[in-house]
Every structure is written in structure tokens, then in C-alpha cells.
């Protein structure tokens, strides 16, 4: 297949939100071929911007869910963005009834 123009390649990447596999399907080429064209046409920034656009969209959906008092969304947000305020889960692994699972003793071989 003849390589399309830079504008056509860029449009496919933007439409696919930077997803190379999806963009390659719309251009009817293998992802490997599209990656090569991205390098040749210096479109790496377009791929990054496409992915950032999708991330922005997802964040706006999360904001809408939180505004609608969706507690799952609120908890997710706090666990991922509120760690410095203590919103983090920790797992403590213990033996039966909170006992130690094992104990490590370090012995100095020189003594």
C-alpha cells in the first residue's frame, strides 16, 4: 500500500485518540507499518496528544460521576489522588491470630 499523506495519517491517529492499533485499522495497514510512518513523519507528539485527549475525556467522566455522588468514583479518586491525605489501603500479612508468619535471624559468619 502506498503511504497516505501526513495529514491523513495524523487524522487517523487523532480520531483513534492515539491508539495505534485502532488507527492502523482505519488506514488498513498493520500497526507495525503505522509505527514506522509515525517515525518517518515525526508524528510522535500527535500520538501523545491523542492519548492525552482520551485521558482528559476519562477524567471528565470521572468528575461527572463524582458530581452525581457515585461513591465508587469518589473512592477511586481518593485512593488514586488522595494518598498524601491518608486515603490509601494497606495490607498487613500475618499468621493465624495476628502472629508472625516467620522470623529472620541474621547471623554474622565472622563471629
Amino acid at each position: 500500500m502506498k503511504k497516505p499523506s501526513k495529514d491523513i495519517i495524523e487524522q487517523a491517529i487523532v480520531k483513534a485518540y492515539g491508539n495505534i492499533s485502532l488507527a492502523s485499522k482505519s488506514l488498513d495497514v498493520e500497526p507495525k507499518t503505522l509505527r514506522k510512518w509515525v517515525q518517518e513523519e515525526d508524528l510522535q507528539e500527535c500520538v501523545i496528544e491523542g492519548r492525552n485527549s482520551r485521558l482528559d475525556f476519562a477524567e471528565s467522566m470521572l468528575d461527572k460521576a463524582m458530581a452525581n455522588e457515585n461513591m465508587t468514583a469518589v473512592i477511586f479518586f481518593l485512593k488514586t489522588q488522595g494518598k498524601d491525605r491518608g486515603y490509601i489501603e494497606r495490607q498487613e500479612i500475618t499468621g493465624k491470630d495476628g502472629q508472625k508468619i516467620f522470623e529472620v535471624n541474621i547471623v554474622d559468619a565472622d563471629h
Side-chain angles (χ1 to χ4, degrees), residues 50-68:
R51 291 177 182 164
N52 284 336
S53 175
R54 189 64 155 188
L55 183 57
D56 290 344
F57 173 75
E59 286 178 339
S60 70
M61 295 301 293
L62 178 60
D63 289 340
K64 286 179 185 177
M66 289 190 303
N68 289 325

Side-chain angles (χ1 to χ4, degrees), residues 2-15:
K2 180 183 169 206
K3 180 168 75 170
S5 71
K6 181 176 181 175
D7 287 342
I8 297 293
I9 297 169
E10 187 172 0
Q11 287 173 15
I13 292 168
V14 168
K15 186 176 180 182

Side-chain angles (χ1 to χ4, degrees), residues 40-106:
E40 291 172 358
E41 299 293 341
D42 196 27
L43 289 170
Q44 296 88 340
E45 190 65 30
C46 179
V47 173
I48 292 167
E49 285 303 314
R51 291 177 182 164
N52 284 336
S53 175
R54 189 64 155 188
L55 183 57
D56 290 344
F57 173 75
E59 286 178 339
S60 70
M61 295 301 293
L62 178 60
D63 289 340
K64 286 179 185 177
M66 289 190 303
N68 289 325
E69 299 182 14
N70 179 315
M71 289 310 292
T72 302
V74 171
I75 291 166
F76 174 80
F77 181 83
L78 289 172
K79 283 183 180 180
T80 59
Q81 301 298 310
K83 291 179 182 179
D84 60 332
R85 295 185 180 185
Y87 294 99
I88 186 167
E89 289 185 13
R90 291 188 173 92
Q91 292 184 354
E92 293 184 20
I93 301 174
T94 62
K96 184 178 177 189
D97 298 324
Q99 297 175 358
K100 294 179 183 176
I101 294 177
F102 60 88
E103 190 170 309
V104 176
N105 292 318
I106 300 175

